[in-house]
Amino acid sequence: MHDASNPQRPPAVYVLPEKAHLELVEMRAHLRLMSRLAEPGTAASDHDNLLQPDAMAWWFKRLNRDIDRILKSTYWSEELQARAPR
């Protein structure tokens, strides 16, 4: 992010590896699917097809694991920050 109150400071530049980016794209697709499944009036909201708490717990654990992995693979780049426009 660029700090507008300090024009001398270049913006911080973080690198997101391609694999992590693809994981984010996958995560977005899964979140869209989960939101569709949770919508009232869909087949998944029928009494016999309700999402079970253990399935939701599994989903949240997976989401947490994936986000942790993506954050760990993201890093600050001094080289790219030095080249960023001020």
Side-chain angles (χ1 to χ4, degrees):
M1 277 197 253
H2 182 64
D3 183 356
S5 65
N6 185 356
Q8 301 301 316
R9 183 177 174 199
V13 177
Y14 291 91
V15 177
L16 180 66
E18 184 177 9
K19 182 179 178 189
H21 178 264
L22 293 174
E23 288 181 35
L24 283 174
V25 170
E26 256 185 22
M27 191 182 305
R28 180 183 62 189
H30 287 145
L31 286 168
R32 284 181 182 161
L33 173 64
M34 292 300 288
S35 68
R36 288 296 316 249
L37 289 174
E39 285 179 5
T42 63
S45 66
D46 290 344
H47 178 62
D48 293 337
N49 298 325
L50 288 176
L51 293 171
Q52 299 300 313
D54 59 335
M56 293 300 294
W58 177 88
W59 170 248
F60 288 127
K61 286 178 186 175
R62 177 183 169 158
L63 189 60
N64 183 57
R65 183 197 69 210
D66 291 349
I67 290 172
D68 279 347
R69 188 172 48 246
I70 291 166
L71 288 174
K72 286 177 184 173
S73 70
T74 304
Y75 59 94
W76 173 69
S77 173
E78 185 175 4
E79 177 185 342
L80 292 175
Q81 183 178 22
R83 289 192 271 158
R86 293 180 189 242

